[in-house]
Amino acid sequence: MLSQPIHLYNSMTQKKEKFIPLKENQVTMYVCGVTVYDHAHIGHARAAVIFDVIYRYLKYRGFTVTYVRNFTDVDDKIINRANKEGVSWKTIAETYIREYTDDTRALGNETPTLEPLATEHIPDMIKIITTLIEKGYAYELDGDVYFEVSKFSEYGKLSKKNPDEQMAGARVGTDERKKDPRDFALWKKSKPGEPLWPSPWGEGRPGWHIECSAMSQKYLGETIDIHGGGRDLIFPHHENEIAQAEAASGKSFVRYWIHNGFVNINQEKMSKSLGNFFTIKDILKKYHPEVVRLFLLSHHYRSPVDFSAETMNDANAGLERIYTTLAELDALLERKDFPEVSEEGLGTRDKELYEEIKTLIVQFEQAMDEDFNTALALGHVYNAVRALNRFLSDPEFKKTDFARSVFALARKAFSKIGTVLGLFQVKPQDFLALFKNQKLSDLDIPVDEIEKLIEERNQARREKNWNRADEIRDFLFKKNIILEDGRDKTTWKIT
């Protein structure tokens, strides 16, 4: 059993609720995946990372989690892309399923329990549609089948939209035969050149919304614990899912709805037409995957985030700072001159740091238990880094008999937190070397020239030529090189 409850924000009730799964210690979670007609973008990355962390944290807290994320592999966009490129719709779908899988793996995501394809579940969709027709919630029009929204009295309970708002936001097609413009397609009659499957209403293909109801109910049951996706899916997609699923089964479809916020680009909505559309592949060419994860997790999942050079550079610097501390911890743990001192044997000053590190995991769990607040959790991580750095930078530190157990405790805490967040998974020295090489590639001054100037400056200092020494330091500073004068030698780093 959990030592303390998890509270999460339920989009249905619009408030935080205590999380109680349908079955004790077991969680069923369905997240809407991507329509595979193009490369995934930073908005897709946010949803993928957020629900990956929720999946990881629920497992960390002792739950057995069945996580299903689908692929929409038949859709108008896929068909249009196939026609444009002169290939089959199946080729387009298979290509971008592979691309999306590569992208999410590159981001460090774990693979969901199941990743079903819509086209593999046509019979399941037909079964639900048949039930809806039999119960009077759906009607056929010459091979097309529509859900009759007015028959479902609770329509709008997730989005909180009134009928006028529903009318304005609905995907109104050209079919004026529909009983109500809000009615949505469950089955579409086949058109020339389109993929098709047999059905009781003739050859055709399913509508978009029915696939998620069919797959979630098949693998997770008629009532599931968590359903997630981006805020843009609340209406009409998730609203329609609720209507068709609950009308067919007569049971509550989802206990907790979780929706992540949007990603803006330089404070503007991301759009291909605005030229501010960034794919995951493009971003990973410039930034390490953990930098992308840290950026996305540094904001609460329900809040909008702004993707820009500035925010990514902040994430870069933050992750480098954490890894620098981890590298120092690892180096200290390799030393043999720190005694194994028990907690009782620690000095007053050492105990203060020990207590601060000891509470890190507790603080992390408390933050995550309150609606998966990764921003607050990372705030506690940065506080711990600052506490460690204050201690490690103290010149008196080397005179103490500080216990290895404190360093080991800190390293273990970072490891546990990193496992949940998908961070700190690289050996610190390797990560810092990678960072340095990346920065070196952006410099407009060769490394050997930097080293030559440092030696010239050292000679100037020996000769008490302070003007020349300062001149070299200032020149390198303008090149984003900071010099650090130690007791034995001068080192440099890139800002």
Side-chain angles (χ1 to χ4, degrees):
M1 295 295 292
L2 299 178
S3 58
Q4 60 193 41
I6 293 174
H7 293 89
L8 56 82
Y9 183 87
N10 189 346
S11 299
M12 177 67 78
T13 61
Q14 298 187 341
K15 63 182 181 182
K16 282 187 186 179
E17 298 178 3
K18 182 179 179 180
F19 178 60
I20 304 174
L22 197 60
K23 295 182 180 179
E24 187 175 3
N25 294 330
Q26 295 182 41
V27 177
T28 50
M29 182 169 76
Y30 186 94
V31 175
C32 289
V34 292
T35 300
V36 284
Y37 72 100
D38 203 347
H39 292 290
H41 54 66
I42 184 62
H44 295 134
R46 188 179 197 195
V49 169
I50 290 300
F51 288 103
D52 176 63
V53 169
I54 291 174
Y55 176 44
R56 289 171 185 244
Y57 187 67
L58 290 171
K59 291 191 295 180
Y60 169 88
R61 293 294 263 137
F63 291 106
T64 299
V65 186
T66 304
Y67 171 23
V68 178
R69 184 182 65 205
N70 74 299
F71 285 110
T72 297
D73 62 335
V74 60
D75 180 86
D76 289 342
K77 293 177 179 178
I78 296 172
I79 295 167
N80 292 339
R81 182 69 179 261
N83 291 338
K84 182 179 178 181
E85 296 189 9
V87 298
S88 73
W89 65 272
K90 197 171 184 64
T91 297
I92 294 294
E94 289 175 348
T95 296
Y96 290 108
I97 286 173
R98 286 194 304 270
E99 295 292 334
Y100 180 79
T101 300
D102 289 345
D103 287 344
T104 53
R105 284 177 180 168
L107 284 169
N109 286 1
E110 292 186 1
T111 303
T113 313
L114 295 165
E115 293 183 285
L117 308 184
T119 56
E120 294 176 348
H121 297 81
I122 304 294
D124 301 297
M125 299 179 212
I126 289 174
K127 184 178 178 181
I128 294 177
I129 296 170
T130 301
T131 299
L132 289 171
I133 292 174
E134 291 173 350
K135 288 189 171 185
Y137 286 101
Y139 57 94
E140 179 192 357
L141 288 174
D142 188 28
D144 294 315
V145 181
Y146 292 98
F147 184 91
E148 192 168 352
V149 168
S150 63
K151 292 289 184 70
F152 188 72
S153 62
E154 294 185 291
Y155 191 79
K157 64 180 179 179
L158 177 65
S159 63
K160 315 302 183 208
K161 290 181 180 291
N162 61 40
D164 289 338
E165 291 171 320
Q166 295 166 14
M167 198 78 72
R171 293 184 176 183
V172 182
T174 57
D175 192 346
E176 297 180 353
R177 301 170 303 158
K178 291 193 295 183
K179 295 181 180 181
D180 186 320
R182 298 175 301 165
D183 294 351
F184 57 89
L186 299 170
W187 188 262
K188 298 180 179 181
K189 182 179 179 180
S190 64
K191 296 177 182 178
E194 289 189 348
L196 52 86
W197 289 263
S199 81
W201 318 286
E203 293 180 331
R205 59 187 174 90
W208 175 37
H209 312 293
I210 191 66
E211 66 181 65
C212 289
S213 295
M215 287 185 280
S216 64
Q217 290 186 327
K218 175 170 183 174
Y219 293 110
L220 302 175
E222 291 178 317
T223 301
I224 67 175
D225 292 312
I226 295 172
H227 195 318
R231 286 186 58 82
D232 57 315
L233 297 180
I234 292 176
F235 187 86
H237 184 52
H238 288 164
E239 198 73 73
N240 292 351
E241 278 191 63
I242 293 169
Q244 63 201 11
E246 294 188 356
S249 71
K251 300 176 182 177
S252 175
F253 178 38
V254 176
R255 294 165 61 81
Y256 304 92
W257 286 92
I258 298 179
H259 293 95
N260 64 273
F262 297 119
V263 177
N264 297 320
I265 309 295
N266 292 314
Q267 301 182 347
E268 287 188 309
K269 183 179 179 181
M270 181 171 61
S271 168
K272 285 185 176 180
S273 62
L274 294 174
N276 63 355
F277 183 87
F278 294 94
T279 67
I280 296 173
K281 280 182 171 52
D282 289 338
I283 293 166
L284 292 181
K285 288 176 184 176
K286 187 171 183 180
Y287 301 103
H288 190 279
E290 288 196 11
V291 172
V292 179
R293 287 186 79 93
L294 184 67
F295 158 69
L296 294 171
L297 298 175
S298 294
H299 305 77
H300 192 282
Y301 75 85
R302 287 190 283 117
S303 302
V305 298
D306 187 53
F307 178 88
S308 66
E310 183 180 0
T311 55
M312 292 306 292
N313 287 338
D314 287 343
N316 242 328
L319 192 59
E320 184 179 19
R321 189 161 62 249
I322 295 171
Y323 264 111
T324 299
T325 302
L326 294 181
E328 191 160 358
L329 284 178
D330 286 351
L332 290 167
L333 285 168
E334 290 175 1
R335 288 171 53 176
K336 307 299 182 184
D337 55 343
F338 286 111
E340 291 288 353
V341 180
S342 66
E343 183 177 348
E344 293 74 19
L346 293 174
T348 302
R349 184 169 166 281
D350 300 343
K351 269 187 177 178
E352 290 177 4
L353 179 61
Y354 186 78
E355 290 300 324
E356 191 160 357
I357 297 302
K358 197 163 67 170
T359 60
L360 176 57
I361 289 295
V362 175
Q363 292 173 325
F364 169 75
E365 291 178 358
Q366 288 174 343
M368 293 297 289
D369 285 343
E370 285 302 312
D371 198 27
F372 310 109
N373 194 338
T374 57
L376 180 57
L378 284 168
H380 294 313
V381 169
Y382 284 124
N383 287 339
V385 168
R386 281 191 286 271
L388 285 162
N389 287 342
R390 280 197 304 271
F391 190 89
L392 297 172
S393 62
D394 188 338
E396 294 297 309
F397 162 66
K398 295 185 185 301
K399 300 178 183 179
T400 69
D401 288 331
F402 195 67
R404 289 174 58 85
S405 56
V406 182
F407 297 129
L409 180 70
R411 198 62 181 90
K412 184 177 181 181
F414 280 98
S415 180
K416 289 180 73 173
I417 291 169
T419 298
V420 173
L421 301 182
L423 298 172
F424 326 138
Q425 301 300 297
V426 182
K427 187 176 179 181
Q429 290 291 359
D430 293 344
F431 184 88
L432 294 174
L434 184 67
F435 250 46
K436 186 171 183 179
N437 289 335
Q438 183 179 348
K439 288 182 177 181
L440 285 172
S441 65
D442 296 332
L443 288 177
D444 62 354
I445 179 172
V447 174
D448 57 352
E449 186 175 341
I450 296 172
E451 299 289 355
K452 183 179 177 181
L453 286 169
I454 290 173
E455 178 53 38
E456 184 181 341
R457 176 174 176 270
N458 288 339
Q459 182 62 34
R461 294 176 73 200
R462 286 191 290 269
E463 295 172 356
K464 301 189 185 305
N465 185 353
W466 308 119
N467 288 337
R468 178 54 181 160
D470 290 346
E471 187 180 83
I472 293 171
R473 181 199 62 203
D474 294 343
F475 171 80
L476 290 173
F477 182 77
K478 291 176 181 178
K479 298 287 187 180
N480 297 320
I481 301 295
I482 293 179
L483 302 183
E484 296 179 340
D485 295 316
R487 182 177 299 176
D488 302 320
K489 67 175 183 177
T490 297
T491 58
W492 59 277
K493 65 181 182 180
I494 308 166
T495 59

